[in-house]
Amino acid sequence: MPITHPDSPDFASAAEQTVWEHLCVQLPDDAVLIAGQRITRDGAEVEADLLVLWPGIGMAVIEVKGGRVSLRGGRWYQADRSGERELKKSPIAQAQTAKHHLISYLNNASSTPVGRAVHLVVLPYTELPEAWDPPEAPRAITLDSTDLPHLTDRIVHALNGQTHLGYAPLNAVQCAYAVKLLRRTHRAIENHQLLAREIADEGNALTREQERAMALLRFQDRAQIIGGAGSGKTHLAMIKARTLTRRGARTALLCYSRGLARHFQLLTSTWPVEERPAYVGLFHDLPVLWGAGTEADFDGTAVTYYEQHLPRRLAELAAVRDPSELFDAIVVDEAQDFADIWWDALQPCLRDPQQGVLFVFTDEHQTVFDREGRAPITLNPFPLDDNLRNTRTIARTFAPLTPLAQNARMDRGAPVQYVASTAQDAVSTADDVVEKLMDEGWEPGQIALLTTRSRHPVQKEQIELYGYDGYWDEFFAGTDVFYGHVLNFKGLERLVVVLAVNGFGSAERAPQLLYVGLSRARALLVVVGDGAEIWDAGGGVVWERISGG
């Protein structure tokens, strides 16, 4: 019997359960069988009904369709007790799309390609005619009820048909690695579905208040919303992008941070299709999507590629883009990270560069990069005064660093803890703090360890091993301690944050880096570092509130 995930699936149909049971009997012990594997990539979520990972053989993505399925005049139909209906999408196309997303996700997270893969459709309650051989659904990948006793043979046959492509089948190590990545991603998607339901909860009074604040600007085409950490800017940016899309505007939702972009993609994938923005993700991924070369193709430094080359290429590509692919509206979160050249590149992406809708959400005190950009908006900024994330104790700690006074709306919470350490030993001391917190009963998935200068060794290892998508899905899965850097954690949060102050790089950036780090914790904040260095970065009042002095 194969390794199965989950152990007892909640099947969407009896047809899926039937195919699952046959595969459980036929697959060998070293194979892996997964039900309902979901992947979110580029803002779109796909699901493989069943996924087979078979060391030495390959990967098979299986779409299952119950009832009596037929193909007439290029259209697919499904009949059951309730009658016959046309399927909106070809089951072959569904399986193929899921396969491409899975391969892309796994290959992006590994230097070794996933190898031989095939997509199949299984129709357990249909018997196909003997003459079946449509071009889009050859018999080799379209299986019916007569194939159920021989499903593994048919999978092997289909995968062997890929040998001419030169791909080797995945081995046992690749299989185990793929399973770890995929189950983490699945958990991340599930967590965002729970978050979407929480946001939609009518009892969430604070969220409703923020939505009312956003409604005040509904007749504005351009606006800048400013607010400190925890003021709900990211949530409001998503509300605005969703509202614009719902009203028929082709909308882009952009940011600079990879982690925040992944959060956007996972959460927007839970929305109805008609409410999902046309583009969701990194500013820098948009020009690449439109045809700009990758960093590997660029003859120059990474800084030049991202900060100058890609923005210029975006403006050039927008100028020759079909108007149907440009945007009616653009929403930017964490806009303080954008340089002027980036704003110059974004405006041509609007169908109406001068009057098109542009909403930006910013916290000027989180400007931790050497960029002096200003959004092309003349309306006075709209301030957000409430802190809806941090306990009052945590909000009070970083309050002297905020550009705007905030009204802390949450409970008082636990005192901020300080652990003395040199900057050189801050990371190892923070590791000890994490172990102590888990001994006290905190779950690993509730804790983030953030650094202010060099990255934690675990962070480096995870990015190298899993790639950026896998690394961030580790965070959103919420099962393990997360190791990150304050620069990459803007717009994000965890219940407990251990902030390892292991230096700042420059005195000019120190107050902003400290501000970001202190404001990421929702319930408990532990600061590890040299008191004198923290004093220099945040001032006497901040130090007193951290140290309890």
Side-chain angles (χ1 to χ4, degrees), residues 246-306:
R246 187 190 299 128
R247 293 175 180 171
R250 181 173 167 80
T251 305
L253 175 59
L254 299 156
C255 66
Y256 170 74
S257 166
R258 289 181 185 272
L260 185 57
R262 187 63 176 157
H263 173 58
F264 283 160
Q265 291 174 349
L266 290 168
L267 194 54
T268 57
S269 72
T270 68
W271 300 349
V273 174
E274 64 274 11
E275 297 181 3
R276 297 177 193 172
Y279 177 80
V280 177
L282 289 172
F283 164 82
H284 292 100
D285 281 349
L286 181 58
V288 174
L289 179 67
W290 280 359
T294 64
E295 184 182 353
D297 303 321
F298 181 68
D299 184 17
T301 66
V303 172
T304 301
Y305 172 76
Y306 286 105

Side-chain angles (χ1 to χ4, degrees), residues 41-42 98-109 114 469:
R41 190 166 178 81
D42 298 329
K99 181 189 73 173
H100 288 324
H101 274 69
L102 282 161
I103 290 174
S104 180
Y105 179 79
L106 292 172
N107 286 350
N108 185 58
V114 70
D469 279 354

Side-chain angles (χ1 to χ4, degrees), residues 166-211:
Y167 296 127
L170 77 172
N171 56 40
V173 173
Q174 289 175 304
C175 181
Y177 174 66
V179 171
K180 186 174 183 179
L181 276 174
L182 293 173
R183 298 320 290 167
R184 176 186 296 122
T185 299
H186 193 91
R187 177 65 181 270
I189 293 172
E190 287 182 334
N191 286 347
H192 275 74
Q193 289 174 330
L194 290 173
L195 177 60
R197 287 197 287 271
E198 178 183 332
I199 290 173
D201 183 356
E202 292 184 358
N204 192 339
L206 295 179
T207 297
R208 290 207 310 278
E209 286 182 29
Q210 292 290 60
E211 291 177 355

Side-chain angles (χ1 to χ4, degrees), residues 492-508:
L492 303 175
E493 61 188 42
R494 257 207 178 164
L495 206 61
V496 180
V497 167
V498 179
L499 180 64
V501 182
N502 60 339
F504 292 106
S506 70
E508 293 77 12

